[in-house]
Amino acid sequence: MIAPARSPGLPMPEVSRPCSDGPVKVDLVEAGRDAYRQQDWPGCFAAFADADRLAPLVPADLQLLAVSGFLTGHDESAYDALARAYNAHVAAGDPRSAARSAFYLAFLLQDTGEPARAGGWVARARALVDQHELGGAEAGLLEALRAHDLLESGAVVDALALAERSVAAGRAYGDPDLVALSLLTVGHAHVSRGDVARAVACLDEVMLAVSGDELIPPVAGLAYCGVIAACMRLHDLRRAREWTAALTGWCDAQPGLVPYRGICLVHRAELMTLSGNWSDALAEATRASEFLRASAAAEAFYRLGELHRLRGDFVAAETAYRRANTGGRLPEPGLLRLRLAQGRADVAAATARHLLSQVGEGMVRLEVLAACIDAATQTNDLDLARSAVDELERLAAESDEPLLAAFASRATGQVLLAEGRPADALLLLRRGWRAFQELDLPYEGAQLRALIGECCRALGEEDSAQMEFDAARWWFDQLGAIPDRDRVAALAVATTRPADGGLTARELQVLRLVAAGRTNRAVADELFLSEKTVARHVSNIFTKLAVGSRSAATAYAYEHGLL
C-alpha cells in the first residue's frame, strides 16, 4: 500500500543499518520495519514497542512506532514516540526533522480531537522554522495547517490563496503529503465558492495520490475523510459512495487497523441510511458516537437521532438530538421532523419559519428545505412552502447533480398537491420517483409512492391510489420505517369508510368552513371556539378522511357531497 522509503513524511531507515544494542533488539527492529512494509500494524507496533523496552529506538524508528501505534488505537504511545523523536532531533541539532516530528504530532492530536495539545506542538514547530529560517516543506506544512484553520473560520479567500501556495511548495519540494493536505483545503474552498469543477479536480488529484500509495497512512485516511465530506457537500452521492467503498477496502486490507476515526464514520452511516441499510447504519452511528470526540461526536448523535426517528423510537430520537445539541450540532431538521411525526405540526411549522433563514449548506441545507416543505404543506402554509421550493429549484438549476433535481421534483409536486392541482403534481412526483430509484434511495422513493397515491385518489383513480399505497407500505415495512408504514396504512383505508368519513357534526361544520377557504382563526371566530380546538378538529378530520392537506380535505368534501 505505502512505500515508506519514498515518503518524506516519516523516513524509513535502511534495513542494512547496523544496530549495536544486541541481537534480540536487532531482530525486533528489523521485524518492526518489515511489518511496516507489509502493513501489519499490530506486528509493527508490538515489535517496535518490545525493542524500545530493551533500548531506546532511534528517531526514524520512533516515527514508525508512532504510525503503527496510531493506526492500532494506541494513541498515547504514538504521541509519546513522536515527542521523543522531536526531542532526539533537537538534541542532535537537526531542527528540520524536529519541526517535522512536531508537525505530525500536532496533526495526529488534531485528528483525534485534542486542539489544545495540537496547538502547543504547532507552536514548537513554528518556533523551529522561524528560528532557523528553515523554509522548505516544513514551512509549507505549517502554512497548510494555517490555511485549513482559515477555511474553518470562514476566511475562504485567504485560505484558498495560502493553500494554493502550499500546494506549489509541496510540488517544488517533492512532498506528496503536503500536496495532498493543501489540495484538500483548496478543494473545500472551491466548494464554498461554488466552483464545482475546480473542487472536483482537486479532490480527484488527492485520491489519485492515495490510490498511488504516495501518502503515509494517517494522511491517506484523512484524505479519504476529507474527500467524502466534500462530496456530501456537493450532493455527489456517486463519488461519496465510491470513496466510502474505497475507504472500507483500504481499512479491510490492513490487518489490525482501527477503522478510521474521522467524520467519515458519520458520513458512512448517513450513506448507509440513504441506501436503506438501517441496521448497519445504526451500528455504525453508535460506534461513531462512542469513538469520536467533540463536534464529530455531536454529528454522530444527530445521525442516531435520525435513525431512531425513522424507526419510530421517538424517545431515543429525542435523547440523541439533545446530545447532538449539547455537543454543538443543531438538532434540526431532525427535531422538526420528529415533531411532525408526533402530530405537533404547529410546533414544526414555527420552527420551519426561522430555520429557513439560518445558515446551512450541502446535505444539511437540502434536508432543511425538504423538512420545511413537509411542515408547511401539513399546516397549509403555502407561502412558506413556496419559499423553500423556490430555493430548491434554484439549487437544482445551478447543479448537475441528480439528487437535487429529484428533491426539487418532489418538493414542487408536494406543493402543487397541497394547492389542489393533483394532475400537475403527479407528473413531477413520478419524475422524482424515477430519479430516487436510479439513485438507490428506497425511503425517499417510498415517500414519493405515497404522495403519488394521494394524487391518484384526488383524481378519482382509487385503484391506482391503492396500488401506490401498497407499494409504499411494503417498502416502509422492509426498511423498518414503522411510523411511515402505519401512516400509509391509514391512507389506504378509503374504500371501506362511510361517505362522511365518520366525522362528527362539529367536524363536518369545520370541514365546510375549511372548504370555503377559512383559516383556523376565522373558523374559530365563526363557531365561537378556540383556535387550538379548531386545529385539533382539523387534525382529526385529516386523520379520519386519510388526507394530508386542507386542499385534499376540500376535494373529499366535494367528491362526497358534504358541502
Side-chain angles (χ1 to χ4, degrees), residues 10 75 106 186 220 353 390 494 563:
L10 296 176
D75 293 349
V186 172
R353 278 187 282 275
D390 288 346
L563 302 179

Side-chain angles (χ1 to χ4, degrees), residues 293-311:
R293 304 178 188 178
S295 61
E299 292 290 344
F301 279 115
Y302 179 81
R303 192 52 45 195
L304 277 174
E306 289 289 84
L307 285 159
H308 289 313
R309 174 182 62 78
L310 290 168
R311 292 157 65 99

Side-chain angles (χ1 to χ4, degrees), residues 170-257:
R171 298 194 201 282
Y173 295 108
D175 192 320
D177 293 332
L178 173 54
V179 173
L181 292 171
S182 303
L183 277 175
L184 279 175
T185 299
V186 172
H188 277 273
H190 284 313
V191 172
S192 298
R193 289 162 60 90
D195 194 337
V196 176
R198 288 186 179 179
V200 170
C202 290
L203 301 177
D204 286 348
E205 184 176 350
V206 170
M207 296 318 295
L208 186 64
V210 173
S211 59
D213 299 335
E214 299 173 13
L215 311 178
I216 64 169
V219 174
L222 178 71
Y224 273 118
C225 276
V227 169
I228 292 167
C231 291
M232 296 299 284
R233 291 178 67 194
L234 291 169
H235 309 103
D236 190 342
L237 283 188
R238 181 186 64 80
R239 272 190 171 84
R241 284 168 166 163
E242 178 182 342
W243 290 121
T244 298
L247 174 60
T248 301
W250 183 77
C251 291
D252 291 346
Q254 300 174 74
L257 177 71

Side-chain angles (χ1 to χ4, degrees), residues 256-498:
L257 177 71
V258 173
Y260 212 75
R261 66 279 292 285
I263 193 66
C264 52
L265 284 178
V266 180
H267 290 317
R268 178 177 161 85
E270 184 175 5
L271 289 168
M272 288 176 174
T273 304
L274 289 170
S275 297
N277 191 1
W278 289 3
S279 294
D280 287 349
L282 186 62
E284 190 80 354
T286 300
R287 186 165 65 87
S289 70
E290 296 168 347
F291 192 79
L292 299 176
R293 304 178 188 178
S295 61
E299 292 290 344
F301 279 115
Y302 179 81
R303 192 52 45 195
L304 277 174
E306 289 289 84
L307 285 159
H308 289 313
R309 174 182 62 78
L310 290 168
R311 292 157 65 99
D313 191 344
F314 294 162
V315 173
E318 181 118 19
T319 299
Y321 289 138
R322 289 185 183 280
R323 294 197 67 177
N325 187 60
T326 299
R329 203 291 186 192
L330 190 72
E332 306 295 353
L335 189 60
L336 183 157
R337 290 192 183 278
L338 179 61
R339 297 294 178 249
L340 286 176
Q342 293 170 326
R344 300 171 62 184
D346 53 340
V347 174
T351 301
R353 278 187 282 275
H354 79 258
L355 197 58
L356 278 182
S357 64
Q358 293 186 352
V359 175
E361 64 168 16
M363 292 295 289
V364 173
R365 187 61 179 172
L366 180 59
E367 292 172 2
V368 164
L369 292 170
C372 287
I373 291 164
D374 286 344
T377 52
Q378 285 195 34
T379 55
N380 205 36
D381 188 346
L382 298 185
D383 288 338
L384 175 65
R386 270 292 170 195
S387 177
V389 166
D390 288 346
E391 182 177 345
L392 245 180
E393 289 180 335
R394 184 171 64 255
L395 290 174
E398 294 170 352
S399 171
D400 293 329
E401 291 303 328
L403 181 67
L404 283 169
F407 269 97
S409 294
R410 169 191 160 170
T412 306
Q414 273 182 278
V415 175
L416 289 171
L417 176 60
E419 291 174 341
R421 299 166 58 189
D424 295 330
L426 190 59
L427 179 65
L428 286 168
L429 293 173
R430 289 196 186 281
R431 181 191 302 167
W433 175 74
R434 286 191 295 271
F436 284 133
Q437 286 286 97
E438 292 172 0
L439 289 165
D440 188 24
L441 300 177
Y443 177 74
E444 285 72 15
Q447 288 181 309
L448 265 291
R449 299 298 290 267
L451 286 168
I452 290 169
E454 291 188 59
C455 285
C456 292
R457 172 172 286 167
L459 292 168
E461 302 172 10
E462 189 59 34
D463 285 347
S464 296
Q466 290 294 329
M467 292 184 69
E468 296 297 336
F469 293 147
D470 286 346
R473 188 169 60 224
W474 185 88
W475 273 108
F476 287 138
D477 192 54
Q478 295 299 303
L479 290 165
I482 307 304
D484 288 283
R485 182 200 65 188
D486 293 346
R487 176 180 60 82
V488 174
L491 274 176
V493 183
T495 57
T496 59
R497 67 190 179 203

Side-chain angles (χ1 to χ4, degrees), residues 346 353 379 510 519-539 550:
D346 53 340
R353 278 187 282 275
T379 55
V510 172
T519 64
N520 282 8
R521 177 170 293 181
V523 172
D525 291 341
E526 189 159 342
L527 297 180
F528 301 101
L529 300 172
S530 71
E531 194 171 346
K532 184 175 181 180
T533 298
V534 172
R536 186 171 66 251
H537 282 316
V538 171
S539 176
R550 298 168 85 92

